[in-house]
Amino acid sequence: MTPWPVLRAARRRYRFTAVVFVLLVAAGVALSVAILSQERALRTGSARAADRFDLVVAAPGSQTDALLTAVYLQPGAVRLLAPEVTAALLNDDRPAFASPLAFGDSLRGSPIVGAIPALVAHLSDGLAEGRVFAARSEAVIGAASPLRLGDRFRPTHGVHAGAAEEHDDDEAEEGHHGEADGHDVELTVVGRMTPTGSPWDRAIVVPVELVWAVHGLPDGHAEGEARIGPPFDPARTPGIPAAVLHAKDVAGAYRLRQAYTADGSMAFFPAEALIKLYGVLGDLRRLMALLAIVTQALVLLALVASVVILLRLLTPQFVTLRALGAPRRYVFAVAWGFTAALVAAGVLLGLGGGWALSFAISRALATQTGIALQPTLGAAELLVALMVLLIGFALAALPAWLIQRRPLAEALAGE
């Protein structure tokens, strides 16, 4: 005799209760899976975003602040390197290139970064469209920028909200994007970077000389000279918040780090600063792990209560089966199989729901930070799901065993 017909009949009769039970299990599993998956996605995404930055040089201070400013383009109040240090750094022939970074302007919330052409080509590993800027009136946009090749715009001072706002129809038709408080200079988009998975995808990169000039600083070259890029005139090079160095080889990177770790500057690998940042965020990670554990404890408590309620509802059917002469093993199989099937359905639904929830969170975080996040189902998430599944099976077995062991006369009297 097979228990499947009885299980199907019980599922149809108590379908509302069964759906609630499945959703309860799925919600607990989904939350735990999303927490664990998202924490890992944040780590891998932030590390991937810094992959193309070999060495960062900034004024002595917090490596974390310098990292957030140079790599993740977060506004900050970092100190400037002294002009003499900047000039020596940018004219150093040991790295493949040394690019200054200059900030302070934006366009509709998108940061405008001053750099040299070599950094643009390096970060995006070639352009998706167009070419690298070759004059001070040209710009290269990130992969996610709403601007298009040929668009003209005026940079505005500071960082303003509204990066995602729609452009006016008239501006779109003319290909001109302006702001009321824009600088008195117009730039033309000549290239688009390939996706980098970092906040640079939303950035607009322009010649560093332009950023210096519009802020009333020396432009790094002899007066009247309009070229861009190295070499820079030591007498006309201002201080910068940070520089990115691309070493020719690993040994060269370590020599450069040692050379620029001095009284007037600090040099560090982004991975070093990320490890320190993760250490600072260790309490947050432990909090997330604790939240996952608490969630699982609540799910297990709910499982216990739900199993008791379900089997209480099904007790009359089990008693009837036994009165009709069904073997004890058959009654056990029906009682256990009904609840175990619901637990398994809830766990599977929770895995899928947790993965979807993690994707939704990743999209929201990517919109806010510009860091591309790719959540995955790893061993930790599968282990959580397996733990809930096995504990659910065990909890379903105990009441089923008690029901099939209960004397029939006592069971009938109780009903």
Side-chain angles (χ1 to χ4, degrees):
M1 187 188 313
T2 175
W4 301 119
V6 178
L7 290 174
R8 285 194 295 270
R11 188 178 65 244
R12 284 195 300 269
R13 181 172 181 179
Y14 299 103
R15 56 183 175 273
F16 178 76
T17 304
V19 168
V20 172
F21 182 85
V22 169
L23 292 178
L24 174 66
V25 175
V29 173
L31 183 56
S32 296
V33 167
I35 290 172
L36 295 172
S37 177
Q38 195 57 49
E39 192 271 339
R40 185 173 59 253
L42 282 170
R43 284 175 172 266
T44 56
S46 58
R48 192 186 310 114
D51 278 347
R52 304 294 292 180
F53 293 81
D54 292 5
L55 191 68
V56 174
V57 179
S62 169
Q63 289 186 3
T64 299
D65 289 345
L67 175 75
L68 292 176
T69 298
V71 177
Y72 302 109
L73 303 183
Q74 295 297 309
V78 296
R79 295 171 51 197
L80 298 181
L81 285 165
E84 58 272 17
V85 176
T86 300
L89 173 65
L90 300 185
N91 291 322
D92 196 329
D93 60 1
R94 288 175 293 180
F97 69 79
S99 175
L101 298 179
F103 308 100
D105 294 329
S106 65
L107 178 70
R108 296 177 181 264
S110 296
I112 294 178
V113 184
I116 64 173
L119 178 64
V120 176
H122 172 70
L123 290 183
S124 63
D125 198 17
L127 297 184
E129 298 178 87
R131 58 176 174 80
V132 177
F133 49 76
R136 299 188 186 188
S137 60
E138 296 177 343
V140 174
I141 54 177
S145 173
L147 296 176
R148 299 181 297 271
L149 263 65
D151 282 354
R152 301 187 305 277
F153 66 92
R154 295 181 186 275
T156 61
H157 184 70
V159 178
H160 305 278
E165 292 178 358
E166 296 287 340
H167 298 301
D168 295 336
D169 293 338
D170 293 341
E171 288 182 337
E173 291 176 2
E174 296 174 4
H176 179 280
H177 303 274
E179 297 286 345
D181 58 344
H183 290 293
D184 189 21
V185 61
E186 187 173 74
L187 303 178
T188 302
V189 177
V190 298
R192 182 186 296 274
M193 300 167 68
T194 57
T196 65
S198 75
W200 288 76
D201 287 341
R202 300 187 305 189
I204 301 171
V205 189
V206 301
V208 67
E209 291 86 351
L210 174 74
V211 178
W212 287 337
V214 297
H215 291 92
L217 299 172
D219 63 6
H221 303 290
E223 191 168 354
E225 189 176 5
R227 68 178 182 85
I228 64 172
F232 293 94
D233 185 345
R236 290 182 52 80
T237 300
I240 56 175
V244 177
L245 275 63
H246 178 49
K248 297 176 181 178
D249 51 43
V250 176
Y254 278 94
R255 285 193 294 268
L256 288 168
R257 184 182 66 164
Q258 182 177 3
Y260 288 104
T261 301
D263 292 339
S265 63
M266 67 174 181
F268 62 92
F269 300 122
E272 293 178 317
L274 280 174
I275 291 174
K276 294 180 181 178
L277 181 60
Y278 294 152
V280 173
L281 296 178
D283 291 340
L284 177 59
R285 184 184 186 189
R286 286 190 289 271
L287 179 61
M288 294 177 73
L290 179 60
L291 180 58
I293 293 172
V294 170
T295 300
Q296 290 308 306
L298 293 175
V299 170
L300 295 179
L301 288 175
L303 274 176
V304 173
S306 300
V307 165
V308 172
I309 293 172
L310 278 174
L311 293 178
R312 181 62 182 170
L313 290 173
L314 295 173
T315 294
Q317 282 69 35
F318 298 150
V319 171
T320 301
L321 287 174
R322 291 186 58 193
L324 293 174
R328 292 176 181 268
R329 289 190 301 274
Y330 182 81
V331 174
F332 177 88
V334 171
W336 179 85
F338 180 79
T339 307
L342 298 183
V343 171
V347 168
L348 290 176
L349 183 62
L351 277 174
W355 192 47
L357 178 59
S358 187
F359 261 102
I361 297 173
S362 291
R363 289 187 60 128
L365 289 176
T367 300
Q368 294 296 320
T369 65
I371 300 175
L373 303 177
Q374 295 294 331
T376 57
L377 291 180
E381 293 88 329
L382 296 177
L383 184 61
V384 165
L386 180 61
M387 180 189 72
V388 173
L389 185 68
L390 295 178
I391 293 178
F393 284 178
L395 291 174
L398 182 58
W401 181 80
L402 292 175
I403 285 177
Q404 64 91 25
R405 293 292 298 172
R406 188 179 181 188
L408 182 57
E410 180 184 335
L412 288 172
E415 298 304 321

